[in-house]
């Protein structure tokens, strides 16, 4: 089954490119460390998910690119074409001349409705290329204007038009120090809207990824490209094929469906985090709660100590909420094939309290600004009223409370 | 019992040798039926006969395993399932429910349960109809069978202590995701079927059909069927994790021009080559003959069952008062109809009685009330009348031309099909849409009721703010 990726805004397009490049290089890497047949099955499975085929044999990413400025899209398209190994579809992008000026309301209420038809048409064409559609993977930032505003708008449209298809949003949490003054407003609007229309939010914190680059990869001057590569590596490690069950030697057909069924069945808990080792060490655990630190330590230990995976450490009920049995809460998926030059690696996708504190902080900051009505007119003038803000606050307060009470 | 005894006398002269023959026929017409020896031992409640009978009952009662392809679970799980399924179907004997689930005892009870199932309806016929060899791509055009037999209800489990509502919501969410995955799989199946039908256009010798079905394509592709078994054992395609049953994916990869089967997908045990098809047809024939044989000699079996029953210790009186259902050979679906009609009559009587009592109570209580009460009563009466009229309309519509039933072969045609026996997809879709609309209306009504109830509960707790969960 196939996944259609929608890349939105500068951030989404840059990350999207890295993700496809990672997926492609990994599946065509000669360092798979497995049998030829295994490798072929792995490649075929990856291709079915993320690439379609054209006459001349160059795989085409199942992706739609959307931005309101042409610069990044042009760069992305040409980078892919230059690689000579894969490319984007000829008509699979949409761009305009003018951005959203970091105003969520402008992206959501002006750009979105204005270009709704064009964008949804391009997406529909991409969907029609799939024999079967598992769902959508939507990559966007959380705090900007275009990616987050149009992203929320497009996700809502996808929910209306493809109600049965799955929707996972990959969102980038802004730096705590802040790039944009209204980032907290944008963030709460994005999150609350996605909470209504998406099935799962896979969150990456810029701060955390930055630290991985600095501490683990020893990069001196960290660029966005470095950060995006780390992100792409983590995403690739989750979306590449794995076996469906112990002893059954075929790959999962519906990775998005299986992930969601296990991770986000409860409608109040939709926020997922992703960790991957080796690449991180305990240094990067500063923002984790104690239990997760323990988890990761174990993830790490079992990789170092023994070739066999031992899953006993995850069966401790103390790791999970009281209303779920460990056997329901925890699942292991495996493959013999190595991922991206790492002979052994493990990734952990979890639905946990890891984001409660940052979320609470963002909601708090946004509320303080809202209480003094700072910058509100910039939103109301494009149709996002105080009422909408209040709705967003209510919803997110509820989410925070639910996570705290786990 | 009386009828059985009377008839039993008539076949008494059939002789002692008839019984093993009849039981053999019965065994052959059931999936994985045990030998007559097992039946004989079960009469004497010998423990070694129990596992085979648990297994047999499991196969008979579980809907998926009728085709014999799915793996059987452990004996404990089978026993647990059999108990639950029998209970949900109204099996009257309590002794069975008390049997240990390790499958070590109770072969006589199991034999009684089996004969109860046989007596309730034409079991071998039903199973044979379920497992019959299909050559075309068949598809049911109505949901009436699914609705008529919703399967055994899940066993009622008493929770130890309070259940966290979040756990229920979590399970509900999982179900929703599975449902969505199922829809996606079905859509994929349809898309691929359509491709095969398009690609094999003009290949069929039968002009009315025009194209090949999945099974026919497979026969052409691999007439020996030899490689297929090996390939299936070697790699199950990535294509086959969640689509159950025969599937068109592997064919599509093979019949598609200029492309190899990239998925390496040759898998399904149900897809048959010519050789396998022949074998399956032979098996089906054996089953059909055995069912005939069984029908002819059935009474010998029932006479013998009377002796089995006689060997049982008497049961508690509460269970003995349950009505006994006599064996009968019913037409397809007729038995269910009769059962439903009887239940309906009973319900109607109950309803009349209840409403009479209610009316009487109303009349007494309402006398002293004012005009407000009278207007409320009028509004209620009006609502009831409207509901009744709607029901009548729906009934009239339903009684129109006989609605199509059962599985139909899927045939793709460009031109207009001649009328008569054919059914057009558009008509089926329309009928299903109507049904969907009805069900949705019912759902909305129920949701409205729930909402009102919630509002009432919320009103009863002052100082409490209700926030609806986001989404879904």
């Amino acid at each position: 089954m196939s996944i259609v990726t929608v890349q939105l805004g500068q951030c989404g397009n840059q990350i999207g490119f890295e993700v496809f490049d990672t997926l492609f290089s990994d599946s065509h890497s000669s360092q798979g460390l497995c049998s030829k047949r295994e490798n072929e099955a792995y490649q075929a499975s990856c291709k079915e998910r993320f690439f379609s085929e054209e006459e001349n044999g160059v795989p085409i990413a199942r992706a739609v690119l959307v931005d309101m400025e042409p610069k990044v899209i042009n760069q992305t398209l040409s980078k892919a074409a230059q690689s000579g190994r894969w490319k984007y579809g000829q008509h699979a992008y949409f761009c305009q001349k003018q951005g959203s000026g970091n105003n969520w309301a402008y992206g959501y209420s002006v750009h979105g409705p204005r270009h709704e038809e064009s964008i949804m048409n391009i997406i529909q064409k991409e969907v029609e290329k799939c024999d079967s559609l598992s769902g959508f993977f939507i990559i966007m930032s959380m705090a900007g204007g275009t990616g987050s505003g149009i992203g929320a708008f497009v996700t809502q449209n996808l929910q209306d038009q493809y109600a049965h298809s799955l929707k996972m949003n990959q969102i980038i949490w802004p730096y705590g120090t802040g790039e944009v003054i209204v980032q907290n407003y944008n963030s709460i609007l994005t999150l609350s809207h996605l909470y209504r229309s998406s099935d799962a939010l896979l969150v990456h914190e810029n701060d955390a990824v930055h630290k991985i680059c600095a501490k683990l990869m020893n990069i001196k001057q960290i660029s966005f490209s470095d950060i995006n590569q780390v992100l792409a590596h983590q995403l690739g490690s989750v979306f590449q094929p794995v076996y469906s069950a112990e002893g059954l030697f075929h790959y999962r057909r519906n990775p998005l469906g299986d992930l969601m069924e296990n991770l986000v069945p409860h409608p109040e808990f939709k926020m997922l985090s992703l960790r991957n080792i080796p690449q991180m060490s305990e240094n990067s655990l500063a923002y984790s709660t104690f239990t997760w630190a323990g988890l990761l330590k174990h993830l790490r230990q079992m990789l170092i100590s023994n070739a066999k995976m031992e899953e006993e450490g995850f069966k401790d009920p103390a790791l999970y909420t009281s209303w779920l049995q460990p056997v329901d809460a925890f699942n292991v998926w495996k493959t013999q094939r190595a991922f991206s030059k790492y002979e052994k690696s493990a990734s952990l996708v979890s639905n946990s309290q890891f984001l409660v504190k940052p979320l609470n902080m963002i909601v708090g900051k946004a509320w303080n600004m809202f209480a003094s009505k700072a910058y509100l007119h910039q939103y109301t003038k494009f149709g996002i009223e105080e009422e909408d803000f209040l709705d967003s606050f209510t919803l997110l307060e509820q989410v925070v409370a639910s996570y705290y009470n786990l | 019992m009386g009828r059985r005894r009377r008839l039993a006398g008539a076949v008494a002269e059939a002789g002692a040798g008839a019984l093993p023959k009849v039981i053999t026929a019965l065994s052959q017409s059931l999936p994985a039926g045990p030998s007559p020896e097992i039946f004989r031992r079960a009469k004497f409640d010998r423990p070694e006969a129990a596992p085979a009978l648990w297994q047999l009952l499991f196969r008979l009662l579980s809907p998926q395993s009728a085709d014999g392809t799915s793996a059987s679970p452990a004996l404990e799980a089978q026993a647990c399932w059999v108990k639950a399924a029998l209970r949900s179907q109204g099996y009257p004997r309590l002794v069975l429910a008390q049997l240990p689930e390790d499958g070590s005892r109770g072969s006589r009870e199991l034999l009684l349960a089996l004969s109860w199932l046989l007596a309730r309806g034409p079991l071998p016929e039903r199973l044979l109809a379920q497992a019959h060899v299909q050559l075309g791509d068949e598809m049911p055009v109505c949901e009436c069978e699914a609705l008529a037999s919703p399967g055994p209800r899940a066993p009622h489990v008493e929770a130890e202590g309070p259940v966290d509502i979040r756990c229920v919501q979590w399970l509900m969410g999982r179900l929703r995701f599975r449902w969505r995955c199922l829809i996606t799989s079905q859509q994929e199946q349809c898309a691929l079927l359509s491709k095969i039908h398009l690609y094999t256009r003009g290949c069929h010798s039968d002009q009315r059909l025009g194209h090949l079905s999945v099974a026919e394509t497979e026969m052409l592709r691999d007439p020996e069927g030899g490689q297929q078994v090996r390939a299936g054992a070697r790699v199950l395609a990535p294509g086959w994790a969640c689509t159950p049953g025969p599937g068109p994916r592997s064919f599509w990869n093979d019949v598609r021009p200029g492309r190899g089967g990239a998925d390496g997908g040759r898998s399904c045990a149900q897809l048959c080559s010519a050789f396998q098809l022949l074998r399956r047809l032979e098996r089906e024939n054996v089953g059909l003959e055995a069912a005939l044989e069984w029908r002819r000699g059935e009474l010998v079996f029932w006479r013998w069952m009377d002796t089995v029953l006689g060997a049982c210790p008497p049961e508690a009186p509460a269970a003995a008062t349950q009505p006994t259902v006599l064996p009968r050979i019913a037409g397809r679906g007729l038995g269910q109809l009769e059962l439903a009609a009887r239940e309906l009559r009973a319900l109607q009587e109950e309803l009349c009685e209840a409403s009479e009592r209610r009316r009487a109570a109303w009349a007494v209580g309402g006398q002293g009330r004012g005009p407000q009460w009278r207007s409320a009563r009028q509004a209620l009466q009006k609502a009831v009348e409207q509901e009744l009229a709607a029901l009548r309309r729906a009934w009239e519509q339903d009684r129109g031309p006989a609605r199509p039933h059962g599985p139909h072969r899927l045939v793709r045609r460009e031109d207009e099909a001649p009328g008569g026996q054919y059914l057009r997809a558009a008509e089926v879709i329309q009928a299903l849409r109507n049904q969907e609309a009805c069900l949705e209306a019912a759902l909305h009504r129920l949701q409205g009721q729930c909402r009102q109830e919630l509002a009432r509960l919320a009103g009863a707790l002052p100082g409490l703010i209700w926030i609806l969960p986001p989404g879904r």
Side-chain angles (χ1 to χ4, degrees):
Chain A
M1 289 195 180
S2 311
I3 298 170
V4 169
T5 303
V6 184
Q7 313 179 170
L8 293 138
Q10 176 179 350
C11 169
N13 277 299
Q14 285 172 343
I15 293 172
F17 167 78
E18 296 292 350
V19 171
F20 279 106
D21 209 49
T22 305
L23 290 169
F24 188 88
S25 353
D26 170 54
S27 67
H28 286 77
S29 136
S30 54
Q31 293 165 307
L33 300 167
C34 63
S35 69
K36 188 160 168 274
R37 196 192 306 138
E38 176 89 46
N39 206 39
E40 278 168 7
Y42 185 87
Q43 261 180 28
S45 181
C46 168
K47 196 171 151 224
E48 190 200 6
R49 288 176 190 182
F50 290 102
F51 296 94
S52 61
E53 199 177 338
E54 217 178 45
E55 282 81 35
N56 57 14
V58 179
I60 295 185
R62 296 188 195 274
V64 172
L65 296 79
V66 179
D67 199 359
M68 291 302 123
E69 292 166 81
K71 197 178 97 192
V72 176
I73 289 221
N74 287 337
Q75 279 172 0
T76 311
L77 289 174
S78 66
K79 258 166 94 181
Q82 275 163 19
S83 79
R85 306 186 299 170
W86 64 275
K87 59 181 182 181
Y88 285 105
Q90 221 175 346
H91 306 291
Y93 66 91
F94 179 86
C95 63
Q96 288 289 301
K97 298 241 152 40
Q98 187 209 351
S100 309
N102 283 323
N103 188 332
W104 191 91
Y106 198 77
Y108 182 82
S109 308
V110 179
H111 274 322
R114 191 180 287 162
H115 308 302
E116 177 183 347
E117 210 187 324
S118 318
I119 295 174
M120 293 312 286
N121 276 342
I122 298 175
I123 292 178
Q124 193 187 334
K125 290 216 177 81
E126 209 51 51
V127 167
E128 283 165 5
K129 284 191 206 161
C130 308
D131 271 345
S132 74
L133 176 71
S134 168
F136 298 94
F137 186 51
I138 304 146
I139 310 179
M140 56 197 267
S141 72
M142 185 168 88
T146 301
S148 55
I150 299 184
F153 181 82
V154 167
T155 308
Q156 211 166 304
N157 270 286
L158 289 175
Q159 169 67 8
D160 294 343
Q161 282 190 28
Y162 304 91
H164 297 323
S165 299
L166 304 163
K167 285 151 284 275
M168 179 182 270
N169 289 64
Q170 154 70 30
I171 48 181
I172 308 300
W173 202 274
Y175 284 107
T177 49
E179 298 136 272
V180 182
I181 188 106
V182 287
Q183 71 175 30
N184 297 320
Y185 276 169
N186 293 343
S187 298
I188 61 149
L189 289 166
T190 308
L191 282 174
S192 61
H193 280 74
L194 290 185
Y195 235 87
R196 291 190 194 105
S197 52
S198 179
D199 297 305
L201 315 181
L202 187 54
V203 180
H204 269 105
E205 290 174 281
N206 258 344
D207 283 314
V209 184
H210 196 96
K211 234 172 206 172
I212 294 173
C213 289
K215 296 260 170 74
L216 288 167
M217 322 284 277
N218 283 326
I219 301 168
K220 292 285 167 301
Q221 285 182 324
I222 298 163
S223 67
F224 270 118
S225 163
D226 298 319
I227 288 186
N228 293 341
Q229 275 168 18
V230 169
L231 274 172
H233 177 87
Q234 297 201 348
L235 290 171
S237 72
V238 170
F239 283 116
Q240 282 299 47
V242 283
Y243 288 134
S244 53
E246 197 78 43
L248 279 181
F249 291 99
H250 50 86
Y251 285 116
R252 275 177 193 277
R253 289 228 55 223
N254 191 349
L256 220 47
D258 293 342
L259 266 178
M260 289 183 178
E261 188 195 312
N262 287 298
L263 283 163
V264 286
H266 197 292
E268 264 174 29
F269 306 101
K270 290 189 182 183
M271 293 214 273
L272 302 178
S273 68
L274 172 49
R275 285 154 211 278
N276 171 272
I277 48 173
Q279 186 189 27
M280 293 180 168
S281 76
E282 54 275 6
N283 293 338
S284 58
L285 295 176
Y287 356 76
S288 305
T289 56
F290 171 72
T291 3
W292 282 115
L295 241 188
L296 270 181
K297 206 168 158 192
H298 191 92
L299 241 172
R300 194 167 160 277
Q301 273 172 354
M302 77 192 185
L303 277 157
I304 295 169
S305 63
N306 200 337
K308 287 271 177 215
M309 293 260 268
E310 43 145 334
E311 292 141 26
E312 290 304 316
F314 287 97
K315 290 185 179 151
D316 180 4
L319 285 173
Y320 311 104
T321 178
S322 57
W323 46 272
L324 275 185
Q325 296 293 317
V327 61
D328 293 325
F330 178 73
N331 262 299
V332 185
W333 299 356
K334 302 172 190 175
T335 174
Q336 290 168 357
R337 194 185 181 283
F339 172 68
S340 184
K341 295 174 195 162
Y342 288 89
E343 188 187 342
K344 294 191 190 87
S345 64
S347 302
L348 180 75
V349 189
S350 63
N351 189 343
S352 67
Q353 295 177 327
F354 82 114
L355 270 174
V356 187
K357 272 189 194 143
L359 177 62
N360 204 13
M361 216 145 79
I362 281 190
V363 173
K365 282 181 182 168
W367 178 257
N368 287 341
M369 272 170 72
F370 181 76
S372 59
K373 305 215 179 230
Y375 300 102
L376 261 192
H377 64 281
Q378 301 218 9
Y379 291 77
T380 49
K381 94 178 157 198
F382 296 118
I384 299 296
E385 302 297 337
E386 285 185 23
E387 190 73 7
D388 298 315
F389 275 93
L390 284 173
D391 282 349
S392 298
F393 282 120
T394 318
L395 192 150
L396 294 179
E397 293 278 5
Q398 176 67 32
V399 171
V400 170
S402 299
Y403 269 108
Y404 267 132
N405 289 328
L406 265 181
Chain B
M1 287 292 163
R3 186 184 133 199
R4 256 187 259 154
R5 290 232 165 83
R6 275 201 308 281
L7 287 166
V11 288
E13 65 272 16
L19 183 64
K21 243 169 88 184
V22 170
I23 291 181
T24 310
L26 175 64
S27 281
Q28 278 176 351
S29 65
L30 299 177
S35 71
E37 180 60 16
I38 295 281
F39 282 79
R40 194 186 68 80
R41 290 186 185 184
K43 179 183 174 182
F44 301 109
D45 209 11
R46 300 286 288 272
E48 66 269 21
L53 286 172
W54 279 117
Q55 227 157 13
L56 173 65
L57 284 173
F58 177 75
R59 294 284 293 271
L60 297 182
L61 290 165
S62 99
Q64 299 91 21
S65 58
D67 54 13
T69 48
S70 49
S72 335
L75 195 60
E76 277 88 6
Q78 290 189 8
C80 184
W81 167 271
V82 168
K83 281 186 190 178
L86 280 172
R87 187 158 78 171
S88 80
Q89 295 191 8
Y91 183 63
R93 285 180 70 87
L94 295 171
V95 185
L96 181 100
Q98 289 151 4
L99 288 180
E101 279 172 14
D102 56 5
S104 61
R105 283 198 287 119
S107 55
R108 190 192 291 140
E109 272 310 314
L110 295 172
L111 186 59
L112 287 175
L114 173 67
S115 58
W116 183 79
L117 282 174
L118 285 168
R120 281 206 336 157
L123 188 64
E125 285 86 340
R126 192 167 54 79
L127 291 169
L128 282 167
Q130 263 174 18
H132 84 276
V133 176
Q134 293 178 6
L135 255 193
D137 303 317
E138 288 193 352
M139 184 171 242
V141 294
C142 63
E143 300 292 318
C144 63
E145 292 211 346
L147 291 174
S149 57
R153 260 165 291 171
H156 177 73
V157 182
E158 282 292 339
E160 300 160 16
V163 176
D164 196 312
I165 182 74
R166 289 173 294 184
C167 185
V168 180
Q169 290 172 319
W170 189 86
L171 288 170
M172 192 69 202
R174 272 192 90 143
L175 264 184
R176 282 211 180 94
F177 275 118
R178 291 212 172 158
W179 180 74
R180 284 162 79 177
C181 288
L182 195 67
I183 288 193
T184 320
S185 305
Q186 287 212 325
Q187 278 172 343
E188 178 183 30
Q189 183 123 350
C190 289
L192 291 168
L193 258 183
S194 157
K195 280 187 179 175
I196 288 172
H197 290 179
L198 262 182
Y199 186 68
T200 60
R201 207 157 35 166
C203 291
H204 207 287
S205 53
D206 188 339
Q207 286 298 313
R208 286 169 308 169
L209 297 174
H211 61 77
L212 301 182
S213 71
V214 171
E216 288 161 345
T217 316
E218 171 65 355
M219 259 189 286
L220 283 181
R221 198 178 66 107
D222 185 14
E224 298 299 322
Q227 308 130 296
Q228 190 184 336
V229 176
R230 282 203 305 281
R234 199 179 60 218
V235 250
L236 272 170
W240 278 115
C242 69
T243 324
R249 164 164 294 272
S250 59
F251 307 112
W252 175 241
N253 282 328
D254 273 22
V255 296
R256 193 158 37 171
R259 278 185 70 160
D263 299 19
R266 305 175 174 183
S267 54
C268 247
Q270 290 189 340
L271 306 176
C272 42
S273 66
F275 181 60
Q276 285 167 325
L277 182 72
L278 195 67
R279 269 207 314 225
R280 286 187 57 198
L281 281 172
E282 279 168 1
R283 260 207 311 273
E284 196 176 319
N285 259 342
V286 170
L288 283 168
E289 276 166 11
L292 265 178
E293 180 83 6
W294 152 253
R295 277 285 167 233
R296 278 199 292 266
E298 206 183 349
L299 287 165
V300 180
F301 175 80
W302 289 117
R303 202 170 57 140
W304 177 70
M305 274 315 293
D306 272 351
T307 65
V308 175
L309 203 60
C312 276
E315 252 216 315
T321 55
Q322 297 265 1
T324 317
V325 188
L326 291 174
R328 57 152 184 258
I329 303 165
R332 186 181 164 80
L334 210 63
Q336 278 167 3
L337 209 65
E338 243 175 62
L339 211 71
R342 208 183 314 151
E343 274 173 22
L344 214 64
R345 271 197 298 276
L347 268 178
Q348 204 178 6
E349 277 165 26
E350 208 175 306
L351 207 67
C352 278
E353 209 175 295
S355 68
E356 278 308 322
R357 246 182 292 147
R358 206 58 184 274
R359 268 210 195 104
W362 238 36
V364 172
Q367 270 162 3
R369 303 195 193 180
Q372 210 178 3
W373 184 79
R374 225 169 301 146
S375 67
R377 187 184 156 155
Q378 265 166 7
L380 256 181
Q381 258 168 356
K382 208 172 156 191
V384 168
E385 265 162 35
Q386 275 174 353
E387 186 96 335
L388 218 65
L391 275 175
R392 278 214 189 93
R393 269 200 305 279
W395 172 248
E396 292 299 323
Q397 273 173 7
D398 276 359
R399 287 206 317 172
R403 285 214 252 148
H405 272 291
H408 279 58
R409 178 166 181 157
L410 278 172
V411 177
R412 188 192 185 96
R413 295 187 74 107
E414 303 299 324
D415 54 331
E416 193 71 15
Q421 79 226 56
Y422 297 104
L423 190 65
R424 287 177 43 213
E427 291 166 16
V428 180
I429 292 170
Q430 193 51 47
L432 286 173
R433 286 235 169 90
N434 288 345
Q435 207 180 353
E436 187 192 7
C438 285
L439 289 172
E440 240 163 38
L443 180 70
H444 282 310
R445 206 181 52 238
L446 289 173
Q447 278 175 335
Q449 283 172 8
C450 281
R451 224 166 277 139
Q452 277 176 1
E453 179 66 11
L454 259 181
R456 194 185 62 77
L457 287 171
L461 294 168
L464 199 69
I465 302 171
W466 288 71
I467 301 171
L468 290 175
R472 287 182 240 176

